[in-house]
Amino acid sequence: MSTTHDSDVIIVGAGPVGLMLANILGMYGHSVTLLEALDDLIDYPRGVGLDDESFRTIQTVGLVETVRPHTNPQHIMRLVNGAGKVILVNNPQTLEFGWERKHGFIQPEVDRALFDGLARYENVRVLFGHRVEDVVEDADSVTAVALVTGADGQITEERFRARYLVGCEGGKSPTRKRLGVSFEGESPSTRWLVVDVNNDPLGTPNVFLGADPKRPYVSIGLPHAVRRWEFMLHDDETEEQVTDPVFVNKLLAEHVPDPANLEFIRRRVFTHHGRVASSFRKGRQIVAGDAAHLMPVWMGQGWNSGMRDATNLGWKLAAVLSGQAGDALLDTYTDERKEHSKAMVDLSLTFGRFIKVTNPLAAAARDAASSVLNLFPQVKSYFADMRFKPMPRYTRGVLADPSTQVSGSAAASITSRIIPVRTANTTVSPVGVQFPQPRVNTPAAENVLLDDAIGNWWSVVVWGNDPTDVLPQASLDKLSALGARLVSIVPETQREWAQQHMTDGVLVLGDHTGQVKKWFDDRPTPMIFLRPDRFVAGACLNQHGPATLDAILRAMSFTGRSATAPAEPALVH
């Protein structure tokens, strides 16, 4: 008879999404069992692009120092035509979220850093060689039945019970199939050969997308002297043919002087997929990462979309598990993540079609149009600054509308006719988007990133005022039960005065760069309710604070129960 092991959450799949989700839940003090069918982490390169949103999550779980050495910050992408002429440059310079917008990275090393980070938590365990064969769900729990092959070759069955199960086991996800949800989208017939080598023979640090009608290609410089090439395959080229060393060397002959002397890591054929599950949750089973959406590689968003899932889902599971929120909070995971996932899939497919044009006349027309568009600075910067990438904007979920204080949804614009709104520099609503991460001065340190100052749970950020002066006691009591941090940001010139005169327990931060002042100056929203995933749940005038807070709490199915220090990690000492 097999033994049943209990934990708060079962995660199936020790890929990057499962590892990050386990780190987030471990940080919040919840017990996790992570089951992986393989005997170890995958050790060959897969994803190659890591963005600033993902790095912000890495910062939240305290793993920047172990991840940073395996990245190339400010990874520049250049699109070139068949003649080698640059027709588009993507080189965003912003540090809006505290980190460079684009990084090249070595996925096995970063995944290993996420895995090693779990050793900090006595409440998280990872079990390799555990293949989940079945899942049984009842009203109160979910039980995973795993097959384990012992050293003697004997197969035994083990059962693992938890309140929720999250499938992070990739595009063929058995969890998604058990949920019975559709997997909508397309799988273009175009195949690509991926070639990874050590001891980069080129040494150039960035990315070239070769929109060559004869054979589109990609050449990517990665950390640790790894080089990746990707070549589009023609329909009559078989997988056996294109992975033959002679064929591969012929493809590489235009890129390196001596292909035969390269140190190959792998040669693999793959097909792009663009699919999104119709729902990311059903009952006590949830999917994340590739199990929820398959992302074509063109925008480097597969790994990053999975990180967004873990970031969004992690705090919500923590709130439900702690009793702070009802189970309905987990429905907002699909509400918030599905549409953006689909937008990224659509953008990636569109970009891929732009690159892989093989008709010479169509390619010439594309190149000519690109040359003309590059003459316009606004168009050129649109691509250079990556403004074509749709940033997540949640319109349904844990939100309060900034104009009406309606719960659970938020319009993209502030429509109130009150004078502070009519005279604002922008009426684009900050609700449902990620809050920027400037550097601030704290009572303990100078020039620190905002997230490091405010912690990893809810925060109420007020410009210039003491939050306890502009919110009634009833609202302050609710925020206390939520575990929210009260934050006042003032010009650095006022910080010492504010620290002396504001209420004990209010974190006073100094804006020494002027970036925070500029953000608040542009918007008629001096009070921000900031979620643990750094998205703005509510933004309002101070007098709308109580109604906005109540709307947010309804949207998250808040129970009123005070959790025990939800933001404190459970570390192994």
Side-chain angles (χ1 to χ4, degrees):
M1 183 107 180
S2 61
T3 303
T4 299
H5 308 274
D6 288 346
S7 57
D8 291 332
V9 176
I10 296 166
I11 298 174
V12 184
V17 181
L19 294 168
M20 178 56 80
L21 183 59
N23 271 281
I24 293 171
L25 291 171
M27 174 183 70
Y28 288 134
H30 298 292
S31 59
V32 177
T33 301
L34 201 166
L35 304 175
E36 169 56 55
L38 299 177
D39 293 328
D40 201 351
L41 301 179
I42 294 175
D43 63 355
Y44 54 79
R46 288 164 291 152
V48 293
L50 191 162
D51 67 19
D52 51 351
E53 296 173 67
S54 295
F55 226 105
R56 195 172 187 178
T57 300
I58 291 166
Q59 175 193 352
T60 296
V61 297
L63 294 176
V64 165
E65 296 306 316
T66 55
V67 167
R68 195 78 162 161
H70 309 299
T71 67
N72 281 343
Q74 216 63 53
H75 216 205
I76 302 169
M77 184 274 288
R78 296 181 178 89
L79 179 65
V80 300
N81 63 16
K85 180 182 178 182
V86 175
I87 57 178
L88 184 154
V89 176
N90 175 221
N91 182 23
Q93 299 295 308
T94 180
L95 292 174
E96 179 183 7
F97 298 138
W99 303 98
E100 297 85 357
R101 181 133 289 174
K102 296 178 63 181
H103 305 72
F105 80 120
I106 300 295
Q107 183 176 341
E109 298 293 344
V110 172
D111 288 358
R112 179 65 62 179
L114 298 181
F115 171 73
D116 291 344
L118 296 176
R120 299 173 294 172
Y121 306 114
E122 59 188 8
N123 51 337
V124 177
R125 60 175 177 164
V126 182
L127 300 175
F128 290 101
H130 284 61
R131 180 162 50 90
V132 175
E133 284 293 296
D134 193 17
V135 174
V136 180
E137 182 176 337
D138 59 32
D140 301 314
S141 66
V142 60
T143 300
V145 181
L147 299 183
V148 185
T149 303
D152 58 0
Q154 293 295 310
I155 297 177
T156 58
E157 179 183 285
E158 291 191 45
R159 304 174 77 85
F160 300 87
R161 183 172 55 215
R163 290 177 60 184
Y164 295 96
L165 179 147
V166 184
C168 305
E169 67 271 71
K172 297 180 180 179
S173 168
T175 303
R176 186 189 66 247
K177 294 174 182 177
R178 279 193 299 271
L179 298 185
V181 299
S182 60
F183 205 31
E184 301 157 358
E186 60 181 278
S187 297
S189 59
T190 309
R191 298 167 302 138
W192 291 76
L193 174 68
V194 176
V195 180
D196 293 314
V197 302
N198 278 321
N199 303 321
D200 184 354
L202 302 184
T204 52
N206 293 304
V207 183
F208 287 90
L209 301 183
D212 186 342
K214 292 183 293 184
R215 189 187 296 274
Y217 67 88
V218 183
S219 177
I220 308 174
L222 293 170
H224 308 333
V226 173
R227 166 71 50 175
R228 167 170 292 185
W229 283 278
E230 298 177 13
F231 298 96
M232 195 179 88
L233 301 177
H234 301 307
D235 291 342
D236 60 345
E237 294 171 335
T238 67
E239 183 167 346
E240 181 181 17
Q241 174 188 358
V242 301
T243 55
D244 181 85
V246 174
F247 184 92
V248 174
N249 289 351
K250 183 178 179 181
L251 289 180
L252 291 172
E254 289 190 83
H255 295 263
V256 297
D258 188 5
N261 280 329
L262 296 177
E263 182 184 335
F264 290 93
I265 300 172
R266 69 166 183 163
R267 296 175 282 251
R268 184 177 72 92
V269 174
F270 74 96
T271 302
H272 294 170
H273 300 276
R275 296 184 178 276
V276 180
S278 57
S279 178
F280 294 2
R281 183 228 176 171
K282 190 174 181 181
R284 294 187 174 273
Q285 299 182 62
I286 305 166
V287 290
D290 286 354
H293 41 71
L294 284 173
M295 203 73 53
V297 302
W298 297 112
M299 299 304 300
Q301 287 300 304
W303 198 90
N304 296 293
S305 292
M307 291 300 106
R308 293 189 193 99
D309 291 348
T311 308
N312 186 288
L313 179 61
W315 77 265
K316 294 176 179 178
L317 277 169
V320 173
L321 292 168
S322 69
Q324 281 200 311
D327 177 85
L329 172 61
L330 300 179
D331 290 332
T332 67
Y333 168 56
T334 298
D335 292 339
E336 294 183 349
R337 286 296 306 129
K338 180 183 174 183
E339 289 307 311
H340 184 258
S341 299
K342 185 177 185 303
M344 290 308 308
V345 166
D346 292 344
L347 177 64
S348 297
L349 287 170
T350 299
F351 198 63
R353 295 186 189 103
F354 183 79
I355 292 168
K356 63 184 186 182
V357 173
T358 55
N359 181 290
L361 292 178
R366 175 201 60 201
D367 297 349
S370 299
S371 297
V372 171
L373 290 173
N374 272 322
L375 296 175
F376 297 90
Q378 285 187 320
V379 175
K380 190 173 182 178
S381 68
Y382 177 76
F383 291 102
D385 295 335
M386 210 170 173
R387 285 186 281 123
F388 56 86
K389 172 189 170 186
M391 298 301 291
R393 171 179 281 282
Y394 302 148
T395 58
R396 293 186 302 138
V398 185
L399 310 167
D401 187 87
S403 303
T404 65
Q405 289 77 59
V406 166
S407 175
S409 64
S413 297
I414 305 174
T415 57
S416 168
R417 296 304 299 162
I418 195 167
I419 286 177
V421 175
R422 287 159 39 202
T423 58
N425 289 341
T426 179
T427 55
V428 175
S429 170
V431 177
V433 300
Q434 195 168 163
F435 195 68
Q437 186 181 198
R439 289 186 173 272
V440 293
N441 290 341
T442 78
E446 295 184 350
N447 199 42
V448 301
L449 288 167
L450 178 67
D451 295 356
D452 291 338
I454 65 177
N456 57 21
W457 198 240
W458 283 84
S459 298
V460 180
V461 180
V462 179
W463 173 260
N465 269 304
D466 182 332
T468 66
D469 288 340
V470 293
L471 287 170
Q473 189 60 48
S475 295
L476 295 174
D477 290 344
K478 293 170 187 176
L479 289 168
S480 177
L482 181 61
R485 187 159 216 173
L486 304 181
V487 181
S488 175
I489 305 184
V490 299
E492 175 60 19
T493 54
Q494 298 177 32
R495 181 167 61 86
E496 289 189 11
W497 177 92
Q499 287 170 195
Q500 295 173 11
H501 290 84
M502 288 190 181
T503 305
D504 289 344
V506 171
L507 175 65
V508 177
L509 302 178
D511 173 29
H512 63 294
T513 67
Q515 292 180 21
V516 184
K517 179 175 179 287
K518 174 68 167 63
W519 192 93
F520 279 103
D521 181 55
D522 284 341
R523 296 162 178 82
T525 52
M527 180 177 289
I528 300 294
F529 294 86
L530 196 58
R531 302 176 355 172
D533 60 1
R534 314 310 182 188
F535 278 76
V536 177
C540 59
L541 295 169
N542 292 335
Q543 291 185 342
H544 282 151
T548 300
L549 172 61
D550 288 346
I552 293 167
L553 296 179
R554 288 195 301 274
M556 70 170 287
S557 304
F558 184 59
T559 63
R561 174 179 169 183
S562 296
T564 303
E568 290 298 322
L571 300 179
V572 175
H573 297 289

